[in-house]
Amino acid sequence: MKKNRLCLIGTGKMGVAYVKAIKSINHKAIITDVLGRNLLKTKKFASHNNIENFHNTFKNLKKIDAFIITVSEENLFKVLKKVVKYNLPTLIEKPLGINYEQSEKIYKLLSRKNLFFVALNRRFFNSTLEFKKKLNISKDKYCFIINDQQDLLEAEKIGKHPKVIENYMYANSVHLIDLIKFFIKSKVKKIENKTIKISKKKKIFFSKINFANGSFVFYICKWNIPGRWSVEAYSKKIMLSLKPLENLYYKFKNKKTILFLSKNKDDNLYKPGLKKMIDEFVYFINNKKFKKNKLTNIFEYFQTVKLIKKIYEK
């Protein structure tokens, strides 16, 4: 079997997570090149992770089969302008753009070619996949409750760019809002929003989203207030809960027992969902079946971006 040659762009924490996960499938793929802005830092990263080639420019890239991009939000657009010229399969760490306007520009840049996917690893959690399977058991209407929490002060402390912080729903809330699109394959019929201000910087945002199939979502985001991410779904036959997202709790009607599913082996060894997502990406590199792939393609991702805009527009 041919071993796919990958180029990793970015040498931060996510780059390290990808290196670890890809080593587990080194019979299928190997990172042969790493590209970063700082040549010395990139050289150290390559040496530490046994990567053959390191670069701070695209000029010396040779014989690669695909890209994995893990750069910061504010640098992504200029990197993609260069990557798109290679016509190679590309997996891009979210978010795609610091706001709606930049996300739209990126979408237009990439949508001409069926080669680009967004790395939404929460779709590949063992808990998320089982949650979706259980949803499909019942054809009932569902009520979803999604709890989001974002701390802009913490984002500032870890060095996020001011424009990223200003539009943090696109940078971080996208993780949870994407799950709405993942779980509910129906058109949005109506959205109602309300904001409760607690202080100048603290607020709770509420959104009720009605879908054409009769299901609806209560999306609640606590801004600069302590809270936990969670997803719950209720129908006449089953209750499902991801709290935290890595663990699934569920209970069937007329059953006393609450059943529990924890992380599987891969989600314990690697960043949850990452190993399964990379397997899917390598599968695409080999067969190029764009529509049948389980990864989030650029078209699907932009639908989530449009939903974020609708939820948060005033």
Side-chain angles (χ1 to χ4, degrees), residues 66-80:
F67 288 101
I68 294 175
I69 303 176
T70 67
V71 300
S72 60
E73 297 94 338
E74 66 272 17
N75 291 312
L76 180 61
F77 194 17
K78 59 186 176 185
V79 169
L80 287 172

Side-chain angles (χ1 to χ4, degrees), residues 1 26 33 37 52 93 100 115 124 177 185 195 226 231 238 245 267 276 297 312-313:
M1 181 186 289
N26 61 11
D33 295 74
R37 286 181 299 171
E52 184 181 351
E93 264 300 313
Y100 181 83
L115 292 167
F124 292 90
I177 295 174
K185 301 301 180 184
T195 301
V231 177
I238 192 171
L245 298 185
D267 284 356
K276 195 178 286 289
N297 63 52
Y312 276 98
E313 65 186 358

Side-chain angles (χ1 to χ4, degrees), residues 8-19:
L8 175 68
I9 304 178
T11 58
K13 288 182 180 179
M14 277 310 303
V16 174
Y18 275 99
V19 168

Side-chain angles (χ1 to χ4, degrees), residues 36-219:
R37 286 181 299 171
N38 183 299
L39 189 61
L40 181 60
K41 183 182 175 183
T42 307
K43 181 181 179 180
K44 286 181 179 178
F45 185 94
S47 176
H48 183 74
N49 293 290
N50 297 314
I51 299 171
E52 184 181 351
N53 306 305
F54 59 93
H55 320 272
N56 65 345
T57 175
F58 283 83
K59 291 178 183 177
N60 298 322
L61 284 180
K62 296 175 183 177
K63 294 182 180 179
I64 59 167
D65 299 304
F67 288 101
I68 294 175
I69 303 176
T70 67
V71 300
S72 60
E73 297 94 338
E74 66 272 17
N75 291 312
L76 180 61
F77 194 17
K78 59 186 176 185
V79 169
L80 287 172
K81 286 177 183 177
K82 294 178 181 179
V83 167
V84 72
K85 297 173 184 176
Y86 285 80
N87 291 314
L88 289 173
T90 304
L91 183 62
I92 311 156
E93 264 300 313
K94 70 281 172 193
L96 251 62
I98 58 175
N99 53 28
Y100 181 83
E101 289 73 26
Q102 192 180 82
S103 295
E104 188 174 36
K105 287 178 184 177
I106 291 172
Y107 171 73
K108 288 176 179 177
L109 174 70
L110 304 182
S111 60
R112 301 169 211 157
K113 299 167 184 177
N114 293 339
L115 292 167
F116 299 94
F117 299 93
V118 185
L120 289 160
N121 60 301
R122 281 165 181 78
R123 286 190 175 207
F124 292 90
F125 283 11
N126 188 42
S127 55
T128 306
L129 294 170
E130 286 298 321
F131 187 104
K132 191 170 185 180
K133 282 182 188 177
K134 298 286 187 295
L135 284 177
N136 293 335
I137 290 172
S138 171
K139 301 300 178 184
D140 292 339
K141 300 170 187 177
Y142 278 91
C143 166
F144 290 82
I145 301 171
I146 296 181
N147 281 292
D148 188 0
Q149 186 272 342
Q150 301 298 336
D151 189 336
L152 302 185
L153 301 175
E154 183 61 30
E156 191 175 345
K157 281 181 187 176
I158 62 174
K160 290 291 182 182
H161 192 279
K163 285 188 177 179
V164 174
I165 295 171
E166 189 181 330
N167 299 279
Y168 216 48
M169 62 284 289
Y170 293 99
N172 218 36
S173 292
V174 65
H175 292 293
L176 283 161
I177 295 174
D178 172 70
L179 292 179
I180 297 173
K181 299 294 290 182
F182 186 57
F183 292 140
I184 307 174
K185 301 301 180 184
S186 181
K187 289 184 178 180
V188 173
K189 195 173 178 182
K190 185 181 179 183
I191 298 177
E192 300 171 77
N193 299 328
K194 185 176 182 179
T195 301
I196 297 175
K197 288 188 177 180
I198 295 171
S199 66
K200 188 177 179 180
K201 293 184 177 180
K202 297 179 180 180
K203 62 183 178 181
I204 303 176
F205 177 83
F206 297 88
S207 184
K208 184 187 177 187
I209 310 162
N210 292 74
F211 289 84
N213 67 359
S215 292
F216 56 94
V217 172
F218 289 108
Y219 168 77

